[in-house]
């Protein structure tokens, strides 16, 4: 199938309908860009969330239509380009569902022949990941992180059969035996990353220190992997929500965000279409989010001078938009609570945020 924008969900259901075996669509999905959602639920690592809303479909580009789990899993490693996430979309009755490659692999590994076939496909995929990674031990760290993100439904860490195949194809396997040190490194790396992912659904109840530790773990182990991009950004946003100075910076840069939250709530209650951000406000909120993330990353990575410079360097955007009373109060409160040195000792909160 030639590359094309993904059709609306009704058309996609028609595309996926048909006799057994079940059909699957493979689609590259661009990252979400909504600048308003700061307190969204944690992303499910290994999925893109493209089937969760009609709007998300605009972020996807169809690559292929596959017949059955076997063809979908065979083609998935070949089309995975590490630049954007590759979603596996299937139809379950009237609903569209997204599957992780690990779920398909688990379903296909129910006998020796299926397990051998899956091992060959996935080991070739990991060999490519290994070749693209930095040299020495870091390459095996990338292998562990890649597997943990996409294949957790199959196993928490690469099974010995897959690791052996990767090492053999990478030219690092002697006499058919798996190097114990490499095996332990991969297992330990995957276990630490899996622990962070398991804690993410509980993160709203965790303190900031634990979330900072998790962010450092994910950032270090999964640099450059699209599957973890949303995870690291979500953790940064959650840390910022618990950081007084990050919230002060956000309040200064986003004084009119309360207006949009109120618009969205009124639309939900009245069953009206959710209003879209105008281009000017969307750009301002996107820049604000990027700046707050940069500040939060610097402040919690030991780069205090960089964080201080970021905090003091911004210029309050000039707006032609009218701001509600709520927004004016937020702006005045944020200014009033800044000390002469540019630090904020307390910060107003918005219940909608």
């Amino acid at each position: 199938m030639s590359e094309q924008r993904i059709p609306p969900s009704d058309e996609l259901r028609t595309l996926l309908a048909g006799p057994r075996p079940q059909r699957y669509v493979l689609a590259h999905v661009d990252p979400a860009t909504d600048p308003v959602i700061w307190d969204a639920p944690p992303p499910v690592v290994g999925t893109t969330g493209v089937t969760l809303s009609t709007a998300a479909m605009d972020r996807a580009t169809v690559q292929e239509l596959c017949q059955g789990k076997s063809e979908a899993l065979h083609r998935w490693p070949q089309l995975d380009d590490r630049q954007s996430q590759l979603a596996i979309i299937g139809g379950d009755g009237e609903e569209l569902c997204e599957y992780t490659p690990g779920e398909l692999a688990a379903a296909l590994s129910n006998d020796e022949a299926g397990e051998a076939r899956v091992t060959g496909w996935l080991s070739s995929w990991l060999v490519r990941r290994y070749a693209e990674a930095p040299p020495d031990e870091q390459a095996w760290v990338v292998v562990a992180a890649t597997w943990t993100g996409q294949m957790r439904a199959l196993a928490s860490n690469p099974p010995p059969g897959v690791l052996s195949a990767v090492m053999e194809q990478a030219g690092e396997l002697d006499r058919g035996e798996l190097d114990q040190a490499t095996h332990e490194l991969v297992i330990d790396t995957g276990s630490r990353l899996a622990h962070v992912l398991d804690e993410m659904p509980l993160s709203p109840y965790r303190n900031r220190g634990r979330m900072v530790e998790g962010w450092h773990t994910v950032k270090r182990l999964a640099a450059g992997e699209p599957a973890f991009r949303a995870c690291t950004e979500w953790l940064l946003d959650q840390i910022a929500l618990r950081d007084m100075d990050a919230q002060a910076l956000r309040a200064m840069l986003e004084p009119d965000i309360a207006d949009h939250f109120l618009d969205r709530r009124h639309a939900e209650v009245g069953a009206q279409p959710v209003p879209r951000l105008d281009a000017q406000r969307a750009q301002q909120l996107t820049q604000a989010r990027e700046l707050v993330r940069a500040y939060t990353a610097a402040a919690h990575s030991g780069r205090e001078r960089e964080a201080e410079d970021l905090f003091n360097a911004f210029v309050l955007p000039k707006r032609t938009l009218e701001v509600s009373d709520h927004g004016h109060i937020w702006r005045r409160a944020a200014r009033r609570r800044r000390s002469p040195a540019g630090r904020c000792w307390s910060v107003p909160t918005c219940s909608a945020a």
Side-chain angles (χ1 to χ4, degrees), residues 43-104:
V44 178
V45 177
T47 67
T48 66
V50 69
T51 62
L52 298 180
S53 71
T54 303
M57 292 292 181
D58 295 336
R59 300 190 284 116
T61 304
V62 171
Q63 302 298 309
E64 282 194 8
L65 174 64
C66 300
Q67 299 287 344
K69 293 182 176 67
S70 182
E71 183 180 347
L73 186 62
H74 183 213
R75 291 295 293 152
W76 185 88
Q78 299 174 27
L79 294 172
D80 181 35
D81 62 4
R82 201 181 178 185
Q83 301 303 312
S84 60
Q85 283 194 260
L86 182 64
I88 303 172
I89 304 170
D92 184 10
E94 294 297 318
E95 299 296 328
L96 296 178
C97 300
E98 183 178 0
Y99 300 88
T100 67
E103 289 172 328
L104 298 191

Side-chain angles (χ1 to χ4, degrees), residues 4-326:
Q4 58 182 291
R5 297 307 295 178
I6 201 165
S9 56
D10 289 343
E11 296 180 27
L12 190 58
R13 292 191 189 95
T14 302
L15 184 65
L16 292 171
R20 298 287 180 178
Q22 183 177 353
R23 294 176 176 178
Y24 295 88
V25 161
L26 302 183
H28 279 132
V29 180
D30 298 329
T33 57
D34 189 340
V36 175
I37 304 302
W38 285 77
D39 55 351
V44 178
V45 177
T47 67
T48 66
V50 69
T51 62
L52 298 180
S53 71
T54 303
M57 292 292 181
D58 295 336
R59 300 190 284 116
T61 304
V62 171
Q63 302 298 309
E64 282 194 8
L65 174 64
C66 300
Q67 299 287 344
K69 293 182 176 67
S70 182
E71 183 180 347
L73 186 62
H74 183 213
R75 291 295 293 152
W76 185 88
Q78 299 174 27
L79 294 172
D80 181 35
D81 62 4
R82 201 181 178 185
Q83 301 303 312
S84 60
Q85 283 194 260
L86 182 64
I88 303 172
I89 304 170
D92 184 10
E94 294 297 318
E95 299 296 328
L96 296 178
C97 300
E98 183 178 0
Y99 300 88
T100 67
E103 289 172 328
L104 298 191
L108 293 170
S109 300
N110 50 11
D111 55 49
E112 290 187 7
E115 184 176 0
R117 189 167 65 251
V118 168
T119 296
W121 295 338
L122 300 184
S123 61
S124 297
W125 171 60
L126 287 184
V127 165
R128 181 157 52 90
R129 283 288 185 264
Y130 177 91
E132 294 170 349
D136 304 324
E137 288 189 351
Q138 183 65 28
W140 290 110
V141 169
V142 170
V143 165
T146 300
W147 181 274
T148 304
Q150 305 283 12
M151 300 292 167
R152 297 191 66 204
L154 182 60
S156 295
N157 300 288
V162 172
L163 270 184
S164 296
V166 175
M167 295 185 73
E168 183 174 3
Q169 293 182 56
E172 297 193 9
L173 191 64
D174 297 326
R175 297 184 300 279
E177 296 179 356
L178 181 63
D179 179 79
Q180 187 62 30
T182 299
H183 181 266
E184 291 177 356
L185 170 66
V186 173
I187 297 301
D188 178 67
T189 299
S191 296
R192 284 186 287 127
L193 187 53
H195 177 70
V196 174
L197 300 182
D198 288 338
E199 277 199 331
M200 282 181 62
L202 305 175
S203 291
Y205 306 100
R206 301 289 178 180
N207 62 37
R208 187 178 65 189
R210 292 287 293 276
M211 301 193 74
V212 171
E213 292 175 6
W215 171 67
H216 279 294
T217 297
V218 175
K219 180 170 65 79
R220 182 175 64 254
L221 298 182
E225 285 295 332
F228 290 94
R229 196 170 297 149
C231 176
T232 54
E233 291 175 349
W234 182 87
L235 284 168
L236 264 185
D237 289 344
Q238 292 296 312
I239 295 166
L241 287 172
R242 293 157 175 78
D243 185 291
M244 181 176 60
D245 293 326
Q247 284 300 289
L249 184 58
R250 179 185 170 195
M252 289 293 289
L253 290 168
E254 302 181 9
D256 59 349
I257 193 173
D259 293 341
H260 189 65
F261 273 117
L262 291 174
D263 290 344
R264 290 171 70 131
R265 287 187 169 182
H266 291 160
E268 292 170 1
V269 172
Q272 301 171 2
V274 176
R276 291 184 176 273
L277 285 171
D278 59 78
Q280 180 186 5
R281 186 188 292 182
Q283 182 180 16
Q284 290 166 352
L285 295 184
T286 298
Q287 292 171 345
R289 164 164 280 185
E290 292 173 353
L291 180 56
V292 172
R293 281 177 175 167
Y295 167 81
T296 305
H300 295 282
S301 298
R303 306 195 305 272
E304 290 83 2
R305 179 62 180 273
E306 181 181 343
E308 190 75 23
D309 290 343
L310 281 169
F311 193 92
N312 294 320
F314 74 91
V315 177
L316 188 66
K318 295 181 179 179
R319 291 176 172 81
T320 59
L321 305 171
E322 291 188 3
V323 182
S324 68
D325 290 341
H326 193 166

